């Protein structure tokens, strides 16, 4: 399939490969020595040994690598093509995947997006009959993969994947159709996998006779026989070609075995970009306007879109509806439906598309309506956005910004009351922000859009209506440091997001008791600015963390452990935390009195810490 399709692509066309993409990389022109060294995990590999056998990359060849997550590359391909469509660039993105991926939601989401937005994606299904050990007829009600394309109004064709000439002819027809229509095409290549899925696979799921029968149709044997019968090549030609191939393989193995391991001290390189933009210049505030958190976020989006034509907003109901929280209300009239892009309810699909568009040079703002919906996109965020830079040895970055509403509201029950900031702050490769003030709501977005790595911005739902004064010339803010929101000497209160104002209110209550509390707004949850926190704790000698997440495995627990590691001898009282209530935890000394932290419960916890309860 790779041999029949890839040589027809132009250098500027893009390729998203499938699981174990060795053939795709070789046909695309990635040197065999670099491929073999990568399979060996050596520094001379095409991804520096960081991708391994399943993740080969080459920026020079527009080869965006394989994906160990079945179907994970499909939304990425849609996003690459979206970037080309938005810039009116004449490119095709070829996306290879196995028939097992057809059962994944990402296949259907990507197909729908490609058809809906008229994206130039050539979907190539390598249908070898078995997804690992499960035959297609045992896992799919409809085994004709090409027929599935009709449900998305995508042109499609079945082809004998064991016949390289037939595959090439079909690929030519597909590319001609795409050139004429500008839209996607699905090519299903029906083939067979002779070898086991892995070296540990006993192949108990199929008969040996079945494999032997298919071997007689093997594409190399079939093509060679046809060439010899037609007189295009002769036996001596075949022997020469095979000898050259064997020599190249042997040289590549020798090269890989003689390669070097990357020193352990540099293995963490490329988790994030080596170079980051300088912090923004922040002017002295001039004048003041009365606004809300919602309007501050909206102003940030407008500024970004006016300053950079690569910026666009995409998400559910962000356009004509105006956004679930009315943040983007009216923006579609101002910027049009291409840049204020309504999406289907397919979080994994459109988040993956945003990631792909970012990799292709755009600056998408992906809005996930609520944090609980983000779990449907978790694969794309964790397995693609956060990992691609490291796996590709720095070849591909993902400068995408993902916004999502978080936190508990009223009458929303369990599913709409999550605070998953700590979950995302746990993931290397991401930068996680939690703007609480009007200044941060207004200024963090532009700074985040300059980042070379993925940024997640959490907007607490209970802050959208919060009103107050904002400098008339407010603009970008620093996204490196925590902020001291209230100075104090007796105890450090550490918090972020929607809990900031409750914590400040608690500090005012405590002042009446003669307790002078310092309040730290973390602002940046990954990477944590522990220097600011430690400096405060070394001054006050006491600390309490307020976190709207659950206490078990919480961000509060992480901060507490770091304080125990770095400031244990500076503490005059036990570390404490106030988190959202959950099922009682063994050995927990206190249970919160409220479902989520409130000023009163924070103040009570402080008094207890100071021995004044």
């Amino acid at each position: 399939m790779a041999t029949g399709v890839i040589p027809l692509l132009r250098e500027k066309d893009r390729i998203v490969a499938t699981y174990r993409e060795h053939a795709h990389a070789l046909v695309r022109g990635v040197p065999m020595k670099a491929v073999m060294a990568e399979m060996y995990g050596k520094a001379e590999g095409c991804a520096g040994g960081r991708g391994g056998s399943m993740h080969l990359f080459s920026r020079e060849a527009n080869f965006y690598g394989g994906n160990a997550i079945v179907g994970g590359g499909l939304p990425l391909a849609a996003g690459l093509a979206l970037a080309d469509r938005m810039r009116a660039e004449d490119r095709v993105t070829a996306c290879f995947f196995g028939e097992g991926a057809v059962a994944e939601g990402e296949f259907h989401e990507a197909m729908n997006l490609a058809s809906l937005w008229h994206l130039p994606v050539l979907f190539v299904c390598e249908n070898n009959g078995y997804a690992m050990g499960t035959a297609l007829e045992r896992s799919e009600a409809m085994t004709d993969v090409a027929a599935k394309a009709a449900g998305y109004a995508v042109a499609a064709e079945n082809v004998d994947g064991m016949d390289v000439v037939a595959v090439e002819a079909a690929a030519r027809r597909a590319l001609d159709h795409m050139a004429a229509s500008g839209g996607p095409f699905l090519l299903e290549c029906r083939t067979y996998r002779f070898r086991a899925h892995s070296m540990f696979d006993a192949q108990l799921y199929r008969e040996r006779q079945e494999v032997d029968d298919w071997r007689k149709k093997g594409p190399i044997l079939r093509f060679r026989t046809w060439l010899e019968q037609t007189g295009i090549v002769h036996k001596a030609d075949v022997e020469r070609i095979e000898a050259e191939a064997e020599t190249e393989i042997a040289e590549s193995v020798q090269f890989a075995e003689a390669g070097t391991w990357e020193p352990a001290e540099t293995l963490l390189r490329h988790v994030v970009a080596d170079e980051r933009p300088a912090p923004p210049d922040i002017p002295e505030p001039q004048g003041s306007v009365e606004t809300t958190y919602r309007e501050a976020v909206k102003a940030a989006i407008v500024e970004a879109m006016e300053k950079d034509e690569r910026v666009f907003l995409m998400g559910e109901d962000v356009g004509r509806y105006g956004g679930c929280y009315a943040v983007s209300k009216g923006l579609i009239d101002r910027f049009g439906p291409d840049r204020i892009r309504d999406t289907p309810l397919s979080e994994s699909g459109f988040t993956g598309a945003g990631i792909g568009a970012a990799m292709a040079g755009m600056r998408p703002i992906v809005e996930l309506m609520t944090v609980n919906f983000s779990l449907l996109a978790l694969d794309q965020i964790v397995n693609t956005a956060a990992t691609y830079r490291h796996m590709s040895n720095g070849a591909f970055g993902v400068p995408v910004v993902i916004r999502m509403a978080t936190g508990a509201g009223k009458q929303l029950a369990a599913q709409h009351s999550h605070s998953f900031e700590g979950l995302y702050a746990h993931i290397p490769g991401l930068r996680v922000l939690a703007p609480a003030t009007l200044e941060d709501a207004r200024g963090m977005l532009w700074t985040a859009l300059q980042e070379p790595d993925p940024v997640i911005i959490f907007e607490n739902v209970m802050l959208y209506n919060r009103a107050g004064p904002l400098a008339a010339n407010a603009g970008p803010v620093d996204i490196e440091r925590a902020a001291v929101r209230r100075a104090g000497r007796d105890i450090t209160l550490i918090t972020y997001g929607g809990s900031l104002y409750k914590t400040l209110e608690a500090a005012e209550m405590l002042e009446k008791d003669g307790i002078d509390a310092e309040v730290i707004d973390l602002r940046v949850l990954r990477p944590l600015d522990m220097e600011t926190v430690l400096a405060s704790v070394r001054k006050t000698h006491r600390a309490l963390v307020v976190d709207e997440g659950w206490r078990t495995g919480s961000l509060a627990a992480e901060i507490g452990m770091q304080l125990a590691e770095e400031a244990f001898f500076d503490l005059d009282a036990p570390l404490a935390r106030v988190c959202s209530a959950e099922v009682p935890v063994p050995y927990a000394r206190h249970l919160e009195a409220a479902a989520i932290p409130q000023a009163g419960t924070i103040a009570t916890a402080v008094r207890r810490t100071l021995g004044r309860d």
Side-chain angles (χ1 to χ4, degrees):
M1 279 74 68
T3 304
V5 176
I6 293 176
L8 302 180
L9 302 175
R10 301 160 297 182
E11 287 186 10
K12 64 181 178 179
D13 292 333
R14 310 179 196 274
I15 297 175
V16 177
T18 185
Y19 187 72
R20 295 173 181 158
E21 67 279 19
H22 314 138
H24 307 81
L26 292 170
V27 175
R28 186 56 167 175
V30 181
M32 186 183 289
K33 289 182 178 179
V35 171
M36 191 69 75
E38 188 63 33
M39 293 170 68
Y40 272 67
K42 297 297 181 68
E44 291 79 9
C46 60
R50 296 162 185 265
S53 183
M54 293 176 288
H55 308 284
L56 308 175
F57 298 92
S58 173
R59 173 169 284 281
E60 296 74 21
N62 269 323
F63 192 80
Y64 287 76
N67 205 311
I69 311 302
V70 176
L74 286 151
L76 179 65
L80 293 168
L82 173 61
D84 294 333
R85 170 67 67 212
M86 293 183 71
R87 294 183 300 221
E89 294 182 358
D90 176 27
R91 281 196 181 96
V92 167
T93 296
C95 180
F96 293 84
F97 56 98
E99 85 288 344
V102 175
E104 296 283 357
E106 285 163 314
F107 166 78
H108 301 276
E109 294 181 23
M111 288 283 288
N112 182 52
L113 287 177
S115 182
L116 180 68
W117 292 341
H118 217 53
L119 305 178
V121 183
L122 175 59
F123 295 101
V124 183
C125 178
E126 299 182 346
N127 181 356
N128 64 26
Y130 289 93
M132 195 163 175
T134 302
L136 184 64
E137 58 267 19
R138 292 199 293 269
S139 62
E140 286 289 314
M142 164 60 78
T143 58
D144 187 339
V145 175
K148 297 177 186 287
Y152 302 104
V154 174
E157 181 179 342
N158 287 310
V159 63
D160 182 356
M162 305 297 273
D163 183 349
V164 68
V165 177
V167 172
E168 181 184 9
R172 286 188 186 277
R173 290 191 294 272
L175 291 169
D176 287 344
H177 181 278
M178 293 176 67
S181 69
F185 195 99
L186 171 63
L187 186 63
E188 179 190 358
C189 304
R190 294 180 176 176
T191 182
Y192 194 79
R193 188 189 79 220
F194 300 144
R195 296 285 299 274
H197 173 77
S198 71
M199 66 180 72
F200 308 108
D201 179 5
Q203 302 190 76
L204 302 177
Y205 48 84
R206 61 184 180 182
E207 300 294 332
R208 179 170 293 182
Q209 186 60 49
E210 176 183 311
V211 180
D212 292 341
D213 290 343
W214 274 96
R215 280 191 182 278
K216 297 171 185 176
K217 309 173 188 177
I220 295 177
L221 173 63
R222 190 169 174 178
F223 185 53
R224 185 181 67 194
T225 301
W226 176 75
L227 290 172
E228 291 176 338
Q229 289 175 345
T230 56
I232 296 175
V233 301
H234 302 286
K235 184 176 180 180
D237 297 317
V238 173
E239 291 175 349
R240 175 181 52 80
I241 291 169
E242 290 182 342
E244 290 174 354
E246 289 177 1
T247 298
E248 185 178 7
I249 293 169
E251 291 175 351
S252 297
V253 170
Q254 184 179 20
F255 174 81
E257 290 181 339
T260 56
W261 301 108
E262 182 176 14
E265 56 268 21
T266 61
L267 282 175
L268 295 182
R269 188 182 177 209
H270 299 311
V271 172
V272 294
D274 290 341
E275 297 182 4
R276 296 186 52 249
D281 294 326
I282 302 174
E284 287 294 321
Q286 295 181 3
S288 178
V289 293
E290 191 72 16
T291 190
T292 64
Y293 187 100
R294 174 185 294 103
E295 289 301 314
V297 175
K298 181 176 181 178
I301 296 172
V302 170
E303 177 195 42
M305 296 189 71
E306 288 179 340
K307 290 172 69 172
D308 190 342
E309 62 182 10
R310 299 174 301 168
V311 176
F312 66 99
L313 175 68
M314 64 189 298
E316 296 153 336
D317 294 315
V318 299
R320 288 169 177 81
Y321 188 86
C324 179
Y325 299 99
V327 169
S328 55
K329 187 176 181 180
L331 295 189
I332 193 169
D333 297 327
R334 186 167 181 174
F335 296 104
D338 263 9
R339 296 186 69 194
I340 305 295
R341 185 171 289 266
D342 280 317
T343 68
L345 275 68
S346 56
E347 284 81 4
S348 186
F350 71 74
T351 301
I355 291 167
M359 292 174 68
M362 299 295 282
R363 290 295 181 269
I365 305 168
V366 176
E367 179 177 313
L368 290 163
M369 188 180 290
T370 63
V371 68
N372 48 312
F373 293 162
S374 77
L375 298 184
L376 296 167
L378 199 60
D379 169 44
Q380 290 296 322
I381 296 171
V382 175
N383 284 317
T384 302
T387 63
Y388 247 62
R389 180 179 294 280
H390 189 267
M391 288 196 307
S392 68
N393 202 32
F396 296 109
V398 185
V400 65
V401 173
I402 301 173
R403 295 174 45 245
M404 59 182 90
T406 185
K410 296 180 179 179
Q411 297 179 311
L412 294 179
Q415 291 184 345
H416 270 308
S417 299
H418 292 306
S419 295
F420 287 140
E421 294 91 323
L423 186 156
Y424 287 99
H426 173 72
I427 300 166
L430 302 178
R431 179 170 289 265
V432 180
L433 309 179
T437 65
L438 297 180
E439 289 77 12
D440 283 353
R442 173 67 178 83
M444 279 188 167
L445 180 64
W446 176 254
T447 316
L449 284 165
Q450 311 315 303
E451 285 290 316
D453 297 308
V455 179
I456 297 180
I457 302 179
F458 287 98
E459 299 162 10
N460 192 283
V461 294
M462 299 306 287
L463 293 178
Y464 281 121
N465 289 329
R466 189 171 187 87
L470 179 66
N473 64 332
V477 299
D478 173 48
I479 57 172
E480 292 290 325
R481 311 291 294 182
V484 179
R485 300 299 186 192
R486 185 186 193 277
R489 64 177 183 276
D490 294 330
I491 188 169
T492 299
L493 306 183
I494 306 155
T495 190
Y496 64 89
S499 296
L500 172 63
Y501 296 100
K502 300 171 187 177
T503 305
L504 288 170
E505 182 183 350
E508 294 299 318
M509 295 169 62
L510 292 165
E511 188 174 27
K512 297 175 183 177
D513 297 335
I515 299 172
D516 189 15
E518 182 152 296
V519 177
I520 304 291
D521 176 9
L522 291 172
R523 303 173 68 244
V524 184
L525 307 186
R526 187 176 186 100
L528 282 169
D529 173 19
M530 287 303 295
E531 289 184 13
T532 298
V533 175
L534 287 166
S536 176
V537 171
R538 285 169 178 148
K539 178 179 68 172
T540 66
H541 305 292
R542 298 169 181 85
L544 181 141
V545 186
V546 181
D547 182 358
E548 196 168 303
W550 298 302
R551 67 186 300 154
T552 306
S554 63
L555 190 60
E558 171 62 28
I559 295 167
M561 190 63 201
Q562 290 201 37
L563 287 173
E565 291 171 338
E566 302 295 332
F568 180 80
F569 294 104
D570 294 297
L571 293 169
D572 289 343
L575 293 165
R577 55 182 162 164
V578 177
C579 301
S580 287
E582 57 179 295
V583 174
V585 181
Y587 310 114
R589 292 190 302 152
H590 307 289
L591 291 177
E592 294 76 10
I596 60 174
Q598 302 290 345
T601 54
I602 298 168
T604 298
V606 169
R607 295 186 187 101
R608 182 186 304 136
T609 300
L610 296 176
R612 301 191 189 182
D613 59 338

